Amino acid sequence: MGVRRILDVDKVLERQDSGELKRRLHGKDLIGFGVGIIIGTGIFTLAGIEAKNHAGPAVTLSFVIGAVVAGLAALCYAELASSVPTAGSAYTYAFATLGEVFAWIIGWDLLLEFALGAAVVSRGWSGYLANLLGLSPSLFGEEAPVNIGAVLIIAVLTVVAVVGIKESAFLTNILVLVKVAVCVLILAVGAFYVKSTNLTPFIPPSQPSGSDTATLHQPIIQAALGLEQSMYGIGGVLTAAAVVFFAYTGFEALANLGEETVNPKKDLKVGILGALFVCAVLYLGVSLVLTGMVEYTTIDVSAPLASAFDAVGEHWVSALISLGAVTGLTSVMMVELVTIGRIGFAMGRDGLLPKALGTTHPKWGTPHRMTIGGAALIAILAALVPISELSDMVSIGALSAMIIVALAVPVLRRKRPDLNRSFTVPFSPVLPVVAALACLYLALNLDVLTWIRFAVWLTAGLVIYFAYGRKHSKFAQ
């Protein structure tokens, strides 16, 4: 083992028997979970925001670029998930390939990604619900001193997540059906209002952003090269791609359900790649319809799709879009709560977090302590903290995990060529290295302040690891 303290793959597979997570999920359930967590903020807000601020009608091209990079990362996840089907996903893969320290860092990053992501989405859900039902802004939405709506939805979904994984899958699948139906409605009705003049020029000419942005709020790659911030043009398309890529994150949550999948070697790859494909098609179609319905410079960034249909007189479609947003964001939170429970369960089982977190409920078979503890933290953040300035932290946590997963593929192949792999990434190690570099490039498009905050989070995590986790790890027994 040496100083890296690497957990052997055979031990990873053996430890699935401890804790007794119940195998109740199939490929269709995983696709539902994947679409449930991916389709949300990206389709209802990001398309309009990035079209207006960076890419114009070419935001569709930005979604294509984002889909390609996400697809490369998904291939790596699919190979590892089918080879090592266990709770913990990237955390466990890092443990089995790169060692305990890397595993802790990735687990710590994933907890950041999904906890903060759930808090952001719950606040957005509260605002959409207030808009749909005319509720008081003093209790719901960003203006509320204490966002009661966000706390209530987290509490309700936590109960569902604790009661059982099959119940969570059932609720998620219902919400996904509503959400996909609304997306199809947008495409079917919106197509009749698309004007070619709104799509010309498809890539608007580049121009200075016109803002005196401080260095801390510049993308780190621009700040390092001393470049002036610009909008539109090819640079704007790439900047938008770095943002809308994060609309695809979430598929990695499926890899946490390996121990609860009936046939993981088949169903995991079907779930991961199937969910990503469905979401990519919907993103491309909706972004093209949106920018074809209204001129990109006039898009309402607060509610792009609903406002677009209001502008053409289809108010009933606008109301259904608000309903779709509420259901869509609900499913995102559902999957994020489930994912947090599984990551903490794996880390607690390994001794890096308190052992009590690595146990399951005797009746429901779910990691109830970690799920409830994570939900309490999410509720506090959602109730009190304006999340907008921290939203990029969700992305940097996801991208760092994807880089480790991509590098883990060739490492595990070299270490364990005998391992049964029902799915393999083609052209390895070239394609996994390309995936890692692509994720790194997108991370470099996040601003300097995000990287500083991420460094602080990592430092805090390493302090906890060396003060507690390393001493209590199963390797220390």
Side-chain angles (χ1 to χ4, degrees), residues 190-375:
F192 291 98
Y193 294 95
V194 172
K195 298 179 180 178
S196 59
T197 54
N198 290 331
L199 298 172
T200 307
F202 188 69
I203 302 179
S206 178
Q207 63 186 60
S209 63
S211 61
D212 298 326
T213 305
T215 300
L216 286 178
H217 295 284
Q218 270 192 297
I220 194 169
I221 192 170
Q222 289 187 9
L225 298 176
L227 300 176
E228 180 184 9
Q229 287 201 62
S230 62
M231 55 198 303
Y232 309 130
I234 296 298
V237 172
L238 293 175
T239 299
V243 177
V244 302
F245 168 80
F246 310 133
Y248 291 103
T249 61
F251 65 83
E252 67 269 32
L254 301 181
N256 288 283
L257 302 177
E259 292 181 42
E260 295 161 274
T261 302
V262 174
N263 185 0
K265 291 189 177 295
K266 173 186 174 183
D267 293 336
L268 281 172
K269 62 183 179 183
V270 170
I272 292 174
L273 298 178
L276 190 61
F277 175 78
V278 171
C279 294
V281 171
L282 292 175
Y283 277 141
L284 298 180
V286 170
S287 60
L288 186 62
V289 165
L290 172 62
T291 52
M293 288 180 65
V294 294
E295 186 179 355
Y296 66 90
T297 57
T298 64
I299 291 176
D300 179 3
V301 296
S302 61
L305 289 168
S307 298
F309 281 93
D310 279 332
V312 298
E314 297 287 358
H315 302 293
W316 66 277
V317 179
S318 175
L320 287 177
I321 290 172
S322 296
L323 176 61
V326 169
T327 59
L329 296 179
T330 301
S331 64
V332 172
M333 289 181 284
M334 184 77 260
V335 180
E336 287 177 329
L337 282 168
V338 169
T339 303
I340 288 171
R342 274 62 189 172
I343 295 171
F345 168 81
M347 297 176 75
R349 182 170 56 182
D350 292 332
L352 298 180
L353 289 176
K355 185 177 294 185
L357 299 178
T359 59
T360 57
H361 193 279
K363 177 181 178 181
W364 297 316
T366 57
H368 57 298
R369 291 190 178 94
M370 183 63 204
T371 303
I372 294 172

Side-chain angles (χ1 to χ4, degrees), residues 25 29-39 110 114-115 117-118 121 154 157-158 160-161 165 168-173 175-176 179 249-257 275 327-343 371 378:
L25 301 178
D29 297 316
L30 297 180
I31 292 177
F33 263 113
V35 175
I37 194 170
I38 296 172
I39 297 292
L110 289 175
F114 289 108
V121 174
I154 290 296
L157 294 181
T158 300
V160 178
I165 186 65
S168 301
F170 177 75
L171 175 59
T172 299
N173 287 338
L175 297 174
V176 167
K179 181 165 51 177
T249 61
F251 65 83
E252 67 269 32
L254 301 181
N256 288 283
L257 302 177
T327 59
L329 296 179
T330 301
S331 64
V332 172
M333 289 181 284
M334 184 77 260
V335 180
E336 287 177 329
L337 282 168
V338 169
T339 303
I340 288 171
R342 274 62 189 172
I343 295 171
T371 303
I378 293 167

